Amino acid sequence: MPVYLDNNASAPVRPEAAAMAYRLLLQKGNASSVHSFGREMRGAVEEARASVAALAGAQASQVVFTSSATEANNMVLRHFKPAKVAVSAIEHPSVRQVHPQCLTLPVTADGLVDVSAAKAGMSKLPEGSLVSLMLVNNETGVIQPVRKIAAKARKRGLYIHCDAVQAAGRIAVDIEELEVDFLTLSAHKLGGPMGVGALIIRRGVAPPAPIFSGGGQERRVRPGTENVPAIGGFGVSAQLALKEIDQFQKLSALRDKMEEKIRQEAPQTIIYGAHARRVSNTSCFGLAGIHAQMLVMKLDLAGIAVSSGAACSSGVVRESPVILAMGASPEAAASTIRVSMGWQTLESDIDHFIKIWSNIIGGS
Ligand code: PLP
């Protein structure tokens, strides 16, 4: 049986979410129509909105559905001029690449945004600027000090955006507690359908300017007919992810077992972010000199799917900017692979990975 360990790229859709999406796909009507068909579709959107809001400690009225987290991130970042933006060095490309010339906040060797460097960086920004920080890094799984930095940013009159795509359903996410103004989610990291995300806006904060024109949907922030089947599936996956959040923590036992074995196999293996607090499902590691592309291919031939670097957007294998930002050499950064477990991962999947990994490393 093939083993899927690339859940940070995309988690398999949960059967309950797929069933909801399928039911809505077969249903007729536009959620903006006033007739009974339209009202039923509207009901499905609003039900999902409440479930997605609950996942982030928000009210339904704060949620704007988008086509992806990439779109939600772009909406926020594009609302600010480049000179009024700071992002961490380890943000997803949908944050980092919007204003390539903006201020970059460095990270420590453990993969944590450096709080004192962030404070110094933020002191250079004019009031009303934006700081964008992810809550959990997609490659290392390291949990970022968003709350600490947000509190300092607020004192300086700055806005905070938090990409919580890899955090939701894995650790508690609460927009109020984090004290952030904008928060991004994506359905397909939780076991929902691909192609739907959400931007959650703090109460009392004006929404960003829409990227599109031509409709009044989603509080006029995101015009365009809502993708009701995907939104319905998102709602169901959000409900389940929230319900199973304690269960998700148990994956750390499998991760620790795997990391112990790979260190036994090759003690020189570097596990990135191992000294920081991480989400339970993610492990990023490498052996300098053994190229990630070769490892991913050998694992794939043995029926195991993992990823290398930030492969979630293009499938192109290159040095990981996240690992480089942590101070690793280009050779080490080109040698990292990421194992990411999900709601469906079993202990036998990890045992199989360990067996195949030992064969590959032992024979290389
Ligand atoms: N932000 C982070 C941290 C991600 O890991 C990803 C996807 O890998 C995204 C944003 C983009 O999400 P989407 O696929 O919904 O555009």
Side-chain angles (χ1 to χ4, degrees):
M1 261 301 261
V3 171
Y4 186 78
L5 294 171
D6 199 12
N7 290 266
N8 286 11
S10 198
V13 72
R14 294 170 185 267
E16 301 89 335
M20 174 62 89
Y22 186 63
R23 179 169 80 68
L24 291 167
L25 196 58
L26 297 180
Q27 222 163 290
K28 54 180 92 54
N30 183 317
S32 298
S33 298
V34 292
H35 49 62
S36 62
F37 297 99
R39 290 200 308 274
E40 204 163 314
M41 291 302 240
R42 171 61 47 205
V45 171
E46 296 316 318
E47 202 178 306
R49 199 185 302 282
S51 303
V52 170
L55 188 61
Q59 304 290 318
S61 60
Q62 295 172 256
V63 176
V64 172
F65 286 116
T66 61
S67 67
S68 59
T70 296
E71 185 191 340
N73 285 346
N74 267 261
M75 276 168 63
V76 177
L77 271 285
R78 280 166 195 263
H79 188 65
F80 293 82
K81 295 206 164 57
K84 294 183 84 177
V85 175
V87 307
S88 89
I90 56 168
E91 295 301 310
H92 187 265
S94 58
V95 168
R96 235 179 337 106
Q97 290 176 8
V98 177
H99 298 304
Q101 63 280 53
C102 77
L103 183 67
T104 302
L105 305 175
V107 296
T108 66
D110 287 331
L112 277 160
V113 177
D114 186 324
V115 178
S116 46
K119 198 175 163 202
M122 290 189 307
S123 70
K124 296 183 198 142
L125 293 174
E127 203 178 311
S129 297
L130 177 78
V131 180
S132 184
L133 298 173
M134 62 190 356
L135 187 50
V136 167
N137 182 262
N138 44 308
E139 287 185 54
T140 60
V142 171
I143 302 169
Q144 302 298 322
V146 172
R147 191 164 179 262
K148 237 184 198 167
I149 297 174
K152 294 187 195 310
R154 297 199 83 73
K155 283 198 191 124
R156 294 223 52 249
L158 308 177
Y159 289 97
I160 312 286
H161 166 245
C162 177
D163 177 341
V165 162
Q166 299 287 353
R170 298 175 182 180
I171 54 170
V173 175
D174 188 308
I175 189 169
E176 294 294 326
E177 237 172 65
L178 286 169
E179 292 193 53
V180 301
D181 300 292
F182 306 101
L183 189 136
T184 297
L185 300 177
S186 180
H188 72 109
K189 313 289 183 181
L190 305 166
M194 293 174 196
V196 60
L199 178 64
I200 305 187
I201 304 168
R202 192 183 170 91
R203 272 175 293 190
V205 172
I211 295 178
F212 304 144
S213 311
Q217 292 92 345
E218 296 300 298
R219 295 166 58 189
R220 312 196 85 80
V221 180
R222 206 286 179 174
T225 300
E226 293 94 341
N227 182 351
V228 182
I231 290 172
F234 189 2
V236 171
S237 64
Q239 265 176 32
L240 291 170
L242 190 57
K243 198 168 113 196
E244 293 170 10
I245 202 159
D246 291 339
Q247 182 72 15
F248 203 85
Q249 308 316 311
K250 299 194 176 134
L251 292 175
S252 64
L254 301 185
R255 181 199 58 200
D256 294 348
K257 172 177 170 179
M258 177 188 75
E259 290 184 349
E260 198 186 315
K261 296 277 185 199
I262 59 176
R263 271 192 171 131
Q264 273 171 13
E265 196 63 53
Q268 70 278 30
T269 307
I270 302 170
I271 299 175
Y272 294 92
H275 303 299
R277 213 156 61 85
R278 288 180 292 167
V279 280
S280 61
N281 74 317
T282 307
S283 181
C284 180
F285 52 90
L287 275 157
I290 305 188
H291 204 280
Q293 189 166 12
M294 191 275 289
L295 289 172
V296 170
M297 276 164 43
K298 283 194 174 178
L299 286 164
D300 185 40
L301 286 172
I304 297 178
V306 301
S307 77
S308 67
C312 77
S313 63
S314 61
V316 174
V317 182
R318 60 191 162 85
E319 288 160 14
S320 157
V322 171
I323 305 302
L324 286 176
M326 290 166 70
S329 68
E331 191 197 24
S335 308
T336 59
I337 68 160
R338 176 187 69 191
V339 170
S340 54
M341 297 176 268
W343 61 269
Q344 80 297 355
T345 303
L346 303 171
E347 183 158 14
S348 55
D349 296 334
I350 293 301
D351 289 342
H352 189 54
F353 174 86
I354 292 169
K355 193 170 137 232
I356 301 295
W357 180 258
S358 303
N359 290 346
I360 293 174
I361 297 305
S364 67

